[in-house]
Amino acid sequence: MSKKHIFFYFITLSFILTGYSQKKYTTFKPGDLWLDNNGKHINAHGGGILIYNNTYYWFGEHKTTGSLGNKAMVGVGVYSSTDLYNWKNEGIALKAVNDTTSMLQKGSIIERPKVIYNKKTKKFVMWFHHELKDQGYAAALTGVATADNITGPYTYINSFRLHPGVLPLNFSKKEFDAVEMIKDRTDKNWKEKVVKGAYFKKDFEVGQMSRDMTLFVDDDETAYHITASENNQTLHISKLADDYLSVTNEYIRVFPGGRNEAPAIFKKDGKYYMFSSGLTGWKPNPGKSAVADHIMGEWTFLGNPCIGTEKEKATTFWSQSTYVIPVIGKKDAFIFMGDRWTPKNPIDGRYIWLPVEFENIKPILKWQSEWDLNYFNNN
Ligand code: DGJ
């Protein structure tokens, strides 16, 4: 190839790449590759959105290719968008570190990061599900990091179990004392004992487990941590401290023995709604929904929110909930954010975003192969 040919080859190539990266999306196509401003599939799994200065910031697990792909080899990624369709890669907000003495070392597990903004302290606060390197999912910790700028860098504070030695608001000392312990799942009346708090009692001194989690900030700026606890059998909802950096002693058990993962909360017309899933690892299962007049309960189960074929209902459109986005400037417009996991090549995981509709007070989801925000005006 002559110099002239090489020159034209590079000009053409950069022309194609520039055009590619500047592609403007005007719709959502759930399950498709979704390219960022650099032309790369968005890498923010198990994510959540923080709206700040009329901009959406999407935080999520930065996955990698290959067998280590679900481990935190990089950290938590962050993207920004003003229209929800087109996303700019803002880099790594919280970095997994090389220091093998740090709990945040590469190879630990960082899942479902969620970020909220504290108006009093003017700090951005990230919480995430954290598992320690080479310990599988045994540690069951929740982690906290904080930053002065929304895109980071976030400074890691700590990871811990929740509420050691503290009883929930809806669980009396009398009930606690009556709890019968269990050895394992073969135990007679296992389920009944779990509902009554056998796993709760096991962890009472060391602190309650915290796996799949989310955060919710109410209209009065009170924030809550919602998590799959008690060996994933029971959800715990905890009120955060005013600075959002720790939990208060105010917490409740929700759906004891209900086996919920992947909680996502939103508020409409003064009611609190929750999407969640069952427990099947990376495989999808039927979605669940619930409603409450107050986030601290009582919660009422509303069943599977999915409307569609048997397969769609059984798999939540082959996805698992992670967050619900309130759309800026549109009243009562909420987007279900789900993950279509691809554990063999985690970086390829897809995003299932669907409009949340309502049948009376029940939130429902219907499959859309392509849709845009006008859907909310027309439906
Ligand atoms: C399901 C959870 O929702 C995911 O976040 C992840 O923890 C997988 N289980 C791991 O199997």
Side-chain angles (χ1 to χ4, degrees):
M1 237 195 276
S2 72
K3 271 190 183 161
K4 200 171 142 192
H5 276 115
I6 292 174
F7 176 75
F8 279 114
Y9 173 77
F10 277 111
I11 292 288
T12 316
L13 189 66
S14 48
F15 185 74
I16 291 169
L17 288 178
T18 315
Y20 190 56
S21 62
Q22 283 178 352
K23 176 177 171 170
K24 280 255 180 236
Y25 288 109
T26 53
T27 60
F28 304 107
K29 287 188 183 174
D32 266 22
L33 279 178
W34 195 347
L35 308 184
D36 66 9
N37 60 313
N38 299 321
K40 285 199 173 154
H41 181 49
I42 292 170
N43 196 342
H45 309 266
I49 302 265
L50 173 61
I51 296 172
Y52 184 71
N53 279 348
N54 274 320
T55 303
Y56 300 93
Y57 290 87
W58 177 356
F59 295 83
E61 304 158 22
H62 182 104
K63 305 269 195 187
T64 55
T65 45
S67 59
L68 289 178
N70 280 314
K71 304 267 167 69
M73 303 311 290
V74 178
V76 174
V78 53
Y79 294 77
S80 67
S81 171
T82 49
D83 63 8
L84 287 171
Y85 307 117
N86 298 283
W87 292 88
K88 178 175 175 230
N89 187 340
E90 299 278 2
I92 300 303
L94 176 70
K95 287 194 174 108
V97 297
N98 287 319
D99 176 3
T100 54
T101 62
S102 167
M103 286 205 274
L104 207 66
Q105 66 176 298
K106 290 181 183 171
S108 66
I109 294 174
I110 298 177
E111 288 181 354
R112 299 181 177 274
K114 304 287 177 286
V115 176
I116 52 181
Y117 178 61
N118 191 298
K119 287 189 179 157
K120 277 192 207 140
T121 62
K122 300 198 173 5
K123 298 265 186 203
F124 297 91
V125 182
M126 179 189 293
W127 288 68
F128 52 93
H129 170 196
H130 194 196
E131 297 290 350
L132 304 180
K133 187 170 184 285
D134 301 329
Q135 294 188 23
Y137 282 82
L141 308 176
T142 189
V144 186
T146 183
D148 292 327
N149 297 312
I150 189 161
T151 53
Y154 282 74
T155 304
Y156 176 54
I157 300 179
N158 200 4
S159 301
F160 41 84
R161 288 281 184 96
L162 291 172
H163 307 296
V166 179
L167 284 177
L169 297 175
N170 59 351
F171 198 54
S172 68
K173 174 87 172 58
K174 198 171 161 208
E175 284 169 304
F176 179 73
D177 288 341
V179 172
E180 291 178 66
M181 302 305 281
I182 46 178
K183 260 206 297 312
D184 54 40
R185 271 171 178 268
T186 59
D187 211 283
K188 201 165 162 262
N189 301 329
W190 176 83
K191 171 86 183 185
E192 197 188 312
K193 290 178 184 169
V194 166
V195 170
K196 289 197 171 153
Y199 285 134
F200 175 86
K201 196 163 187 169
K202 155 181 80 73
D203 289 326
F204 185 66
E205 297 300 339
V206 291
Q208 297 301 320
M209 298 171 104
S210 180
R211 290 202 180 116
D212 280 11
M213 48 68 62
T214 192
L215 301 175
F216 178 77
V217 181
D218 212 337
D219 303 329
D220 64 358
E221 302 299 323
T222 308
Y224 299 86
H225 180 272
I226 301 97
T227 191
S229 191
E230 302 183 30
N231 292 45
N232 285 343
Q233 301 298 311
T234 297
L235 290 169
H236 288 181
I237 302 185
S238 311
K239 187 170 150 185
L240 294 189
D242 284 349
D243 61 6
Y244 298 170
L245 297 176
S246 61
V247 290
T248 65
N249 284 345
E250 288 174 51
Y251 78 112
I252 55 165
R253 295 176 81 218
V254 177
F255 298 134
R259 299 167 63 79
N260 285 279
E261 272 192 331
I265 305 258
F266 66 104
K267 188 177 183 183
K268 180 183 171 285
D269 298 333
K271 286 194 188 297
Y272 300 78
Y273 291 91
M274 187 195 301
F275 288 123
S276 62
S277 76
L279 312 177
T280 48
W282 298 113
K283 294 209 182 92
N285 54 57
K288 307 186 202 188
S289 62
V291 65
D293 287 331
H294 192 278
I295 190 164
M296 295 298 267
E298 286 277 309
W299 282 88
T300 306
F301 186 61
L302 294 175
N304 190 335
C306 303
I307 300 214
T309 64
E310 288 309 311
K311 191 171 169 200
E312 286 172 337
K313 287 189 279 186
T315 64
T316 317
F317 311 103
W318 209 277
S319 79
Q320 188 181 28
S321 42
T322 184
Y323 199 75
V324 175
I325 311 166
V327 180
I328 299 174
K330 278 190 192 280
K331 194 178 174 312
D332 295 342
F334 298 94
I335 299 176
F336 167 91
M337 225 177 136
D339 293 284
R340 184 171 283 177
W341 305 112
T342 52
K344 285 195 185 130
N345 188 24
I347 197 171
D348 191 39
R350 304 299 169 89
Y351 308 107
I352 305 300
W353 288 23
L354 296 170
V356 178
E357 298 179 64
F358 277 86
E359 264 177 14
N360 301 318
I361 63 145
K362 185 173 155 53
I364 55 166
L365 302 169
K366 294 182 205 152
W367 177 250
Q368 315 288 333
S369 51
E370 183 169 9
W371 67 285
D372 64 29
L373 295 176
N374 290 319
Y375 190 93
F376 294 111
N377 308 340
N378 308 328
N379 290 274

